[in-house]
Amino acid sequence: MTTKAVPASSPQPRDGGKSRATDEGTQRFASRFTGTFASDFFRNTALGITTSSIGLGTYLGESTSEDDDAYAEAIAHAARSGINVLDTAINYRGQRSERSICVGLRDVFATGHASRDEIVVCTKGGYIPLGDTPPATRAEYQAYVQREFLDQQILTRDEIVSGGHSLAPRFLRYCIAKSRQNIGLRTIDLYYLHNPEQQLASVTIDELRARLRSAFMVFEEAVSRGEIGAYGCATWEGLRVPPSAKSHVGLVDMVTAAREVAGDAHHFRAVQLPINLAMPEAVRAATQPLNGALVPLLQAADALGISVFASASLMQAQLSRGLPDAVRDAFPGCTTDAQRAIAFIRSLPVASALVGMKKVAHVDENLASARP
């Protein structure tokens, strides 16, 4: 079945009367694939829901209708085939990736292959999102920011860092509302603060901690209104580098900020960071302060009750070919290097290995890494 994308102005599909992923729904989804995958394919998480250990990411691609359609079709196929984790961000492909998820889910819900309470939808806010077509020049980009964000009083100029990043509460509220509209859902299951370490190019770590508290206050309010189910932080460098690095962000600091906002009942539940064969810091590097010592991120997350989602699983396809023989020998059940790279991440205590997939064939190939 070919799934076609729709323009941003078209009516958005809704969620079939259910607002978010639930424990019961995600377990139901997993039960339909009993025997199809390895016994550890579906995993319990700190979010109180069950996730497929391979998730579909939507970062790569062009801002074209062709890539919109390809993603929508891959998303629908993935949900029919056993993947219930969909990951995106408002700034991916000028908001088009979020809308591709909308279209793919419309197909899945309409055909009855899954229901809303079975699918875990994750997105992120922090970067100024572009429109459908990227500006051709820096001047066009600045005019766009002025027109769409400064003139509309969504942002002030001093709230923007590095030309396009902000943790301002008013901006984050805008991003949540816009993402819900783009994806066509009442509730986003997991909402990430996107690369908060970007702020450290301009502010001190103490100021970043204050901005984290303000952002988490926005997120706790969004949880109370049913706009998001839980929240976390998606980082590129922050959780992988040691405390001596300027871009370091401590997981304990994030959890502390959430507790300062909402006590032990806070909804900070997950982090996302690159984990792959070429970037194994989450497993091997002691970067996170915990109880007076430095430990790897995965160890800190386990101690703090935080689920970990692995991004860049194939390092933008660079790990899909040319792996050394030792890696091939370690995963004899896999037939391609992409499968071996994914199998490595699945061998770790992560909630899901996120893989960019905009072709049905890639969905099938990647899922084959988890067959019994």
Side-chain angles (χ1 to χ4, degrees), residues 164-195:
H165 192 267
S166 181
L167 303 185
R170 186 171 53 255
F171 173 67
L172 292 175
R173 292 187 184 99
Y174 163 87
C175 288
I176 291 171
K178 189 65 174 176
S179 289
R180 291 169 63 227
Q181 178 186 40
N182 286 340
I183 304 172
L185 299 178
R186 289 198 295 266
T187 305
I188 294 165
D189 297 301
L190 177 57
Y191 193 85
Y192 293 108
L193 197 62
H194 202 175
N195 289 356

mmCIF file of all heavy atoms in Angstrom, residues 164-195:
data_model
loop_
_atom_site.group_PDB
_atom_site.id
_atom_site.type_symbol
_atom_site.label_atom_id
_atom_site.label_comp_id
_atom_site.label_asym_id
_atom_site.label_seq_id
_atom_site.Cartn_x
_atom_site.Cartn_y
_atom_site.Cartn_z
ATOM 1 N N GLY A 164 19.842 29.847 16.498
ATOM 2 C CA GLY A 164 18.629 29.072 16.246
ATOM 3 C C GLY A 164 18.188 28.142 17.355
ATOM 4 O O GLY A 164 17.335 27.283 17.139
ATOM 5 N N HIS A 165 18.732 28.287 18.568
ATOM 6 C CA HIS A 165 18.381 27.388 19.666
ATOM 7 C C HIS A 165 17.833 28.200 20.826
ATOM 8 O O HIS A 165 18.325 29.282 21.125
ATOM 9 C CB HIS A 165 19.615 26.611 20.137
ATOM 10 C CG HIS A 165 19.308 25.467 21.052
ATOM 11 N ND1 HIS A 165 19.300 25.590 22.428
ATOM 12 C CD2 HIS A 165 18.999 24.176 20.808
ATOM 13 C CE1 HIS A 165 19.004 24.425 22.978
ATOM 14 N NE2 HIS A 165 18.810 23.549 22.018
ATOM 15 N N SER A 166 16.791 27.669 21.468
ATOM 16 C CA SER A 166 16.200 28.376 22.595
ATOM 17 C C SER A 166 15.513 27.408 23.548
ATOM 18 O O SER A 166 14.911 26.418 23.115
ATOM 19 C CB SER A 166 15.180 29.418 22.116
ATOM 20 O OG SER A 166 14.636 30.118 23.226
ATOM 21 N N LEU A 167 15.623 27.725 24.848
ATOM 22 C CA LEU A 167 14.893 26.992 25.877
ATOM 23 C C LEU A 167 13.849 27.884 26.542
ATOM 24 O O LEU A 167 13.338 27.559 27.614
ATOM 25 C CB LEU A 167 15.858 26.449 26.944
ATOM 26 C CG LEU A 167 16.988 25.543 26.463
ATOM 27 C CD1 LEU A 167 17.772 24.995 27.652
ATOM 28 C CD2 LEU A 167 16.471 24.409 25.595
ATOM 29 N N ALA A 168 13.525 29.005 25.917
ATOM 30 C CA ALA A 168 12.562 29.943 26.495
ATOM 31 C C ALA A 168 11.207 29.265 26.681
ATOM 32 O O ALA A 168 10.716 28.589 25.768
ATOM 33 C CB ALA A 168 12.421 31.169 25.597
ATOM 34 N N PRO A 169 10.582 29.420 27.842
ATOM 35 C CA PRO A 169 9.297 28.738 28.099
ATOM 36 C C PRO A 169 8.235 29.014 27.047
ATOM 37 O O PRO A 169 7.535 28.083 26.618
ATOM 38 C CB PRO A 169 8.897 29.294 29.469
ATOM 39 C CG PRO A 169 10.200 29.573 30.149
ATOM 40 C CD PRO A 169 11.095 30.097 29.058
ATOM 41 N N ARG A 170 8.082 30.248 26.635
ATOM 42 C CA ARG A 170 7.044 30.564 25.641
ATOM 43 C C ARG A 170 7.317 29.839 24.326
ATOM 44 O O ARG A 170 6.390 29.334 23.671
ATOM 45 C CB ARG A 170 7.014 32.082 25.415
ATOM 46 C CG ARG A 170 5.892 32.583 24.514
ATOM 47 C CD ARG A 170 5.812 34.112 24.533
ATOM 48 N NE ARG A 170 7.093 34.745 24.235
ATOM 49 C CZ ARG A 170 7.883 35.325 25.147
ATOM 50 N NH1 ARG A 170 7.516 35.357 26.414
ATOM 51 N NH2 ARG A 170 9.025 35.873 24.788
ATOM 52 N N PHE A 171 8.578 29.754 23.939
ATOM 53 C CA PHE A 171 8.950 29.050 22.713
ATOM 54 C C PHE A 171 8.674 27.555 22.842
ATOM 55 O O PHE A 171 8.159 26.925 21.906
ATOM 56 C CB PHE A 171 10.422 29.296 22.416
ATOM 57 C CG PHE A 171 10.971 28.493 21.258
ATOM 58 C CD1 PHE A 171 10.526 28.729 19.963
ATOM 59 C CD2 PHE A 171 11.932 27.511 21.459
ATOM 60 C CE1 PHE A 171 11.028 28.003 18.890
ATOM 61 C CE2 PHE A 171 12.436 26.784 20.398
ATOM 62 C CZ PHE A 171 11.983 27.030 19.108
ATOM 63 N N LEU A 172 8.987 26.970 23.987
ATOM 64 C CA LEU A 172 8.747 25.538 24.167
ATOM 65 C C LEU A 172 7.257 25.221 24.150
ATOM 66 O O LEU A 172 6.844 24.190 23.610
ATOM 67 C CB LEU A 172 9.389 25.059 25.468
ATOM 68 C CG LEU A 172 10.923 25.085 25.488
ATOM 69 C CD1 LEU A 172 11.443 24.704 26.870
ATOM 70 C CD2 LEU A 172 11.520 24.171 24.421
ATOM 71 N N ARG A 173 6.441 26.107 24.718
ATOM 72 C CA ARG A 173 4.997 25.889 24.640
ATOM 73 C C ARG A 173 4.526 25.926 23.190
ATOM 74 O O ARG A 173 3.662 25.129 22.777
ATOM 75 C CB ARG A 173 4.265 26.946 25.465
ATOM 76 C CG ARG A 173 4.473 26.827 26.972
ATOM 77 C CD ARG A 173 3.593 27.790 27.741
ATOM 78 N NE ARG A 173 3.884 27.724 29.173
ATOM 79 C CZ ARG A 173 4.663 28.592 29.820
ATOM 80 N NH1 ARG A 173 5.206 29.616 29.158
ATOM 81 N NH2 ARG A 173 4.872 28.457 31.108
ATOM 82 N N TYR A 174 5.080 26.853 22.428
ATOM 83 C CA TYR A 174 4.752 26.921 20.998
ATOM 84 C C TYR A 174 5.145 25.615 20.299
ATOM 85 O O TYR A 174 4.357 25.061 19.505
ATOM 86 C CB TYR A 174 5.492 28.097 20.355
ATOM 87 C CG TYR A 174 5.567 28.026 18.840
ATOM 88 C CD1 TYR A 174 4.541 28.544 18.046
ATOM 89 C CD2 TYR A 174 6.653 27.420 18.207
ATOM 90 C CE1 TYR A 174 4.603 28.461 16.665
ATOM 91 C CE2 TYR A 174 6.714 27.326 16.828
ATOM 92 C CZ TYR A 174 5.686 27.857 16.064
ATOM 93 O OH TYR A 174 5.747 27.761 14.701
ATOM 94 N N CYS A 175 6.347 25.118 20.585
ATOM 95 C CA CYS A 175 6.826 23.895 19.916
ATOM 96 C C CYS A 175 5.936 22.697 20.243
ATOM 97 O O CYS A 175 5.623 21.894 19.356
ATOM 98 C CB CYS A 175 8.273 23.612 20.324
ATOM 99 S SG CYS A 175 9.495 24.735 19.636
ATOM 100 N N ILE A 176 5.535 22.564 21.500
ATOM 101 C CA ILE A 176 4.669 21.448 21.871
ATOM 102 C C ILE A 176 3.348 21.527 21.107
ATOM 103 O O ILE A 176 2.872 20.530 20.545
ATOM 104 C CB ILE A 176 4.426 21.426 23.392
ATOM 105 C CG1 ILE A 176 5.715 21.062 24.133
ATOM 106 C CG2 ILE A 176 3.317 20.430 23.743
ATOM 107 C CD1 ILE A 176 5.615 21.217 25.644
ATOM 108 N N ALA A 177 2.766 22.711 21.082
ATOM 109 C CA ALA A 177 1.484 22.872 20.392
ATOM 110 C C ALA A 177 1.621 22.599 18.900
ATOM 111 O O ALA A 177 0.770 21.925 18.291
ATOM 112 C CB ALA A 177 0.945 24.279 20.626
ATOM 113 N N LYS A 178 2.688 23.097 18.303
ATOM 114 C CA LYS A 178 2.894 22.907 16.865
ATOM 115 C C LYS A 178 3.163 21.440 16.546
ATOM 116 O O LYS A 178 2.653 20.910 15.535
ATOM 117 C CB LYS A 178 4.050 23.785 16.385
ATOM 118 C CG LYS A 178 4.207 23.842 14.869
ATOM 119 C CD LYS A 178 3.014 24.510 14.213
ATOM 120 C CE LYS A 178 3.223 24.706 12.731
ATOM 121 N NZ LYS A 178 2.028 25.259 12.062
ATOM 122 N N SER A 179 3.927 20.767 17.367
ATOM 123 C CA SER A 179 4.199 19.341 17.126
ATOM 124 C C SER A 179 2.936 18.512 17.248
ATOM 125 O O SER A 179 2.695 17.594 16.450
ATOM 126 C CB SER A 179 5.262 18.835 18.108
ATOM 127 O OG SER A 179 6.534 19.352 17.799
ATOM 128 N N ARG A 180 2.099 18.815 18.215
ATOM 129 C CA ARG A 180 0.834 18.088 18.346
ATOM 130 C C ARG A 180 -0.029 18.291 17.109
ATOM 131 O O ARG A 180 -0.682 17.359 16.631
ATOM 132 C CB ARG A 180 0.093 18.547 19.602
ATOM 133 C CG ARG A 180 0.769 18.134 20.904
ATOM 134 C CD ARG A 180 0.150 18.824 22.120
ATOM 135 N NE ARG A 180 -1.238 18.441 22.290
ATOM 136 C CZ ARG A 180 -2.227 19.293 22.510
ATOM 137 N NH1 ARG A 180 -1.995 20.607 22.549
ATOM 138 N NH2 ARG A 180 -3.450 18.857 22.674
ATOM 139 N N GLN A 181 -0.012 19.494 16.586
ATOM 140 C CA GLN A 181 -0.767 19.769 15.360
ATOM 141 C C GLN A 181 -0.162 19.017 14.180
ATOM 142 O O GLN A 181 -0.890 18.394 13.388
ATOM 143 C CB GLN A 181 -0.767 21.274 15.079
ATOM 144 C CG GLN A 181 -1.503 21.655 13.789
ATOM 145 C CD GLN A 181 -1.346 23.132 13.482
ATOM 146 O OE1 GLN A 181 -0.274 23.702 13.661
ATOM 147 N NE2 GLN A 181 -2.421 23.749 13.012
ATOM 148 N N ASN A 182 1.160 19.071 14.043
ATOM 149 C CA ASN A 182 1.825 18.399 12.923
ATOM 150 C C ASN A 182 1.572 16.904 12.926
ATOM 151 O O ASN A 182 1.295 16.297 11.882
ATOM 152 C CB ASN A 182 3.330 18.650 12.976
ATOM 153 C CG ASN A 182 3.734 20.048 12.568
ATOM 154 O OD1 ASN A 182 2.988 20.758 11.902
ATOM 155 N ND2 ASN A 182 4.926 20.462 12.966
ATOM 156 N N ILE A 183 1.685 16.289 14.098
ATOM 157 C CA ILE A 183 1.566 14.829 14.194
ATOM 158 C C ILE A 183 0.106 14.403 14.254
ATOM 159 O O ILE A 183 -0.234 13.259 13.969
ATOM 160 C CB ILE A 183 2.348 14.303 15.415
ATOM 161 C CG1 ILE A 183 3.811 14.747 15.337
ATOM 162 C CG2 ILE A 183 2.316 12.775 15.472
ATOM 163 C CD1 ILE A 183 4.618 14.430 16.588
ATOM 164 N N GLY A 184 -0.778 15.331 14.604
ATOM 165 C CA GLY A 184 -2.200 15.020 14.625
ATOM 166 C C GLY A 184 -2.628 14.212 15.826
ATOM 167 O O GLY A 184 -3.567 13.420 15.740
ATOM 168 N N LEU A 185 -1.937 14.404 16.970
ATOM 169 C CA LEU A 185 -2.257 13.661 18.179
ATOM 170 C C LEU A 185 -2.536 14.615 19.326
ATOM 171 O O LEU A 185 -1.909 15.669 19.438
ATOM 172 C CB LEU A 185 -1.101 12.738 18.566
ATOM 173 C CG LEU A 185 -0.713 11.656 17.549
ATOM 174 C CD1 LEU A 185 0.486 10.871 18.066
ATOM 175 C CD2 LEU A 185 -1.880 10.733 17.264
ATOM 176 N N ARG A 186 -3.435 14.222 20.202
ATOM 177 C CA ARG A 186 -3.710 15.032 21.388
ATOM 178 C C ARG A 186 -2.533 14.995 22.360
ATOM 179 O O ARG A 186 -2.236 15.985 23.027
ATOM 180 C CB ARG A 186 -4.974 14.540 22.089
ATOM 181 C CG ARG A 186 -6.264 14.848 21.336
ATOM 182 C CD ARG A 186 -7.474 14.738 22.260
ATOM 183 N NE ARG A 186 -7.672 13.376 22.727
ATOM 184 C CZ ARG A 186 -8.474 12.495 22.134
ATOM 185 N NH1 ARG A 186 -9.127 12.818 21.034
ATOM 186 N NH2 ARG A 186 -8.638 11.286 22.623
ATOM 187 N N THR A 187 -1.881 13.810 22.453
ATOM 188 C CA THR A 187 -0.804 13.633 23.421
ATOM 189 C C THR A 187 0.431 13.065 22.744
ATOM 190 O O THR A 187 0.356 12.068 22.032
ATOM 191 C CB THR A 187 -1.236 12.678 24.555
ATOM 192 O OG1 THR A 187 -2.438 13.163 25.153
ATOM 193 C CG2 THR A 187 -0.151 12.567 25.610
ATOM 194 N N ILE A 188 1.568 13.706 22.979
ATOM 195 C CA ILE A 188 2.865 13.173 22.556
ATOM 196 C C ILE A 188 3.385 12.329 23.719
ATOM 197 O O ILE A 188 3.465 12.791 24.858
ATOM 198 C CB ILE A 188 3.840 14.315 22.230
ATOM 199 C CG1 ILE A 188 3.341 15.096 21.005
ATOM 200 C CG2 ILE A 188 5.248 13.777 21.990
ATOM 201 C CD1 ILE A 188 4.017 16.428 20.813
ATOM 202 N N ASP A 189 3.758 11.101 23.456
ATOM 203 C CA ASP A 189 4.113 10.182 24.540
ATOM 204 C C ASP A 189 5.392 10.589 25.260
ATOM 205 O O ASP A 189 5.471 10.529 26.485
ATOM 206 C CB ASP A 189 4.254 8.760 23.988
ATOM 207 C CG ASP A 189 2.944 8.261 23.419
ATOM 208 O OD1 ASP A 189 1.954 8.194 24.160
ATOM 209 O OD2 ASP A 189 2.898 7.974 22.207
ATOM 210 N N LEU A 190 6.405 10.995 24.505
ATOM 211 C CA LEU A 190 7.695 11.370 25.103
ATOM 212 C C LEU A 190 8.208 12.609 24.394
ATOM 213 O O LEU A 190 8.418 12.593 23.177
ATOM 214 C CB LEU A 190 8.692 10.216 24.980
ATOM 215 C CG LEU A 190 10.114 10.467 25.483
ATOM 216 C CD1 LEU A 190 10.108 10.901 26.952
ATOM 217 C CD2 LEU A 190 10.966 9.210 25.302
ATOM 218 N N TYR A 191 8.402 13.678 25.167
ATOM 219 C CA TYR A 191 8.839 14.945 24.597
ATOM 220 C C TYR A 191 10.226 15.272 25.135
ATOM 221 O O TYR A 191 10.436 15.360 26.350
ATOM 222 C CB TYR A 191 7.868 16.068 24.946
ATOM 223 C CG TYR A 191 8.110 17.314 24.128
ATOM 224 C CD1 TYR A 191 7.552 17.449 22.862
ATOM 225 C CD2 TYR A 191 8.927 18.337 24.599
ATOM 226 C CE1 TYR A 191 7.789 18.572 22.092
ATOM 227 C CE2 TYR A 191 9.163 19.463 23.840
ATOM 228 C CZ TYR A 191 8.599 19.576 22.585
ATOM 229 O OH TYR A 191 8.846 20.677 21.816
ATOM 230 N N TYR A 192 11.190 15.446 24.218
ATOM 231 C CA TYR A 192 12.569 15.718 24.607
ATOM 232 C C TYR A 192 12.918 17.197 24.484
ATOM 233 O O TYR A 192 12.529 17.862 23.517
ATOM 234 C CB TYR A 192 13.539 14.981 23.679
ATOM 235 C CG TYR A 192 13.548 13.483 23.748
ATOM 236 C CD1 TYR A 192 13.018 12.723 22.707
ATOM 237 C CD2 TYR A 192 14.142 12.809 24.819
ATOM 238 C CE1 TYR A 192 13.065 11.337 22.733
ATOM 239 C CE2 TYR A 192 14.195 11.418 24.846
ATOM 240 C CZ TYR A 192 13.654 10.688 23.804
ATOM 241 O OH TYR A 192 13.712 9.330 23.818
ATOM 242 N N LEU A 193 13.696 17.681 25.435
ATOM 243 C CA LEU A 193 14.398 18.938 25.259
ATOM 244 C C LEU A 193 15.599 18.637 24.371
ATOM 245 O O LEU A 193 16.417 17.781 24.687
ATOM 246 C CB LEU A 193 14.846 19.469 26.613
ATOM 247 C CG LEU A 193 15.240 20.934 26.695
ATOM 248 C CD1 LEU A 193 14.063 21.838 26.356
ATOM 249 C CD2 LEU A 193 15.765 21.265 28.099
ATOM 250 N N HIS A 194 15.703 19.337 23.262
ATOM 251 C CA HIS A 194 16.630 18.963 22.200
ATOM 252 C C HIS A 194 17.995 19.641 22.385
ATOM 253 O O HIS A 194 18.099 20.861 22.325
ATOM 254 C CB HIS A 194 16.030 19.357 20.846
ATOM 255 C CG HIS A 194 16.593 18.609 19.686
ATOM 256 N ND1 HIS A 194 16.096 18.753 18.403
ATOM 257 C CD2 HIS A 194 17.604 17.701 19.589
ATOM 258 C CE1 HIS A 194 16.774 17.975 17.590
ATOM 259 N NE2 HIS A 194 17.694 17.339 18.294
ATOM 260 N N ASN A 195 19.019 18.836 22.610
ATOM 261 C CA ASN A 195 20.406 19.293 22.717
ATOM 262 C C ASN A 195 20.567 20.508 23.633
ATOM 263 O O ASN A 195 21.041 21.568 23.216
ATOM 264 C CB ASN A 195 20.971 19.616 21.330
ATOM 265 C CG ASN A 195 21.203 18.393 20.477
ATOM 266 O OD1 ASN A 195 21.017 17.271 20.939
ATOM 267 N ND2 ASN A 195 21.594 18.580 19.243
#
